[in-house]
Amino acid sequence: MTRHSVDPASPGEPFLAFWRERHLCTLTTLRADGSPHVVPVGVTYDAGARLARVITSGTSTKARHVAAAGAEGAPVAVCQVDGRRWATLEGRARVRTEPERVAEAERRYAERYERWPRPNPARVVIEIEVRRALGNG
């Protein structure tokens, strides 16, 4: 596949397979001054729901950046790279604290990364409403 835009609701099997492989990803959020904050994360992608999920502590900088955007959500991007293959998901992120949403994000994380995340009573999930996808994977 060559560099191109991908329909995030129907991305095709090669793109989805790449997002099921075990890869470390990055999450880019914006600081109050507009500069990017990029950190390594685990990400899961549910194309049917057009949702990417990142589990984290509610006190983390990334969660605080997203929460500061309010109900409109924060513009973010998640990206993964494997050699020459790469894929990016862009969209609006919101911090969710509902136990059932956190549990679903943990389940999906365990499925993709083949291990359960360590217990964290302050855990939240950053849900990204995916609006754009790019890749060459």
Side-chain angles (χ1 to χ4, degrees):
M1 192 173 7
T2 59
R3 182 175 184 244
H4 67 283
S5 292
V6 176
D7 177 355
S10 183
E13 185 51 35
F15 192 82
L16 290 174
F18 189 39
W19 279 101
R20 285 191 298 267
E21 293 173 13
R22 189 177 192 277
H23 293 291
L24 187 61
C25 304
T26 60
L27 169 68
T28 302
T29 59
L30 299 177
R31 296 180 180 99
D33 68 3
S35 64
H37 175 257
V38 184
V39 294
V41 293
V43 177
T44 62
Y45 179 41
D46 178 354
R50 291 181 66 157
L51 276 181
R53 295 175 176 93
V54 175
I55 57 174
T56 189
S57 176
T59 61
S60 69
T61 300
K62 58 188 160 285
R64 290 193 321 266
H65 287 164
V66 171
E72 180 181 314
V76 302
V78 289
C79 184
Q80 65 181 17
V81 177
D82 180 36
R84 295 178 149 241
R85 297 184 306 156
W86 62 271
T88 300
L89 304 172
E90 300 175 2
R92 289 279 171 177
R94 292 167 185 84
V95 174
R96 305 302 301 251
T97 60
E98 300 91 334
E100 66 277 5
R101 288 184 180 267
V102 173
E104 177 65 7
E106 290 172 330
R107 183 192 68 76
R108 289 175 179 273
Y109 177 96
E111 184 177 282
R112 181 175 189 195
Y113 292 98
E114 299 174 347
R115 67 176 185 85
W116 280 93
R118 63 177 170 70
N120 179 353
R123 179 164 291 131
V124 299
V125 58
I126 296 173
E127 288 186 347
I128 304 162
E129 177 189 320
V130 178
R131 296 182 179 179
R132 180 182 299 156
L134 304 165
N136 74 341

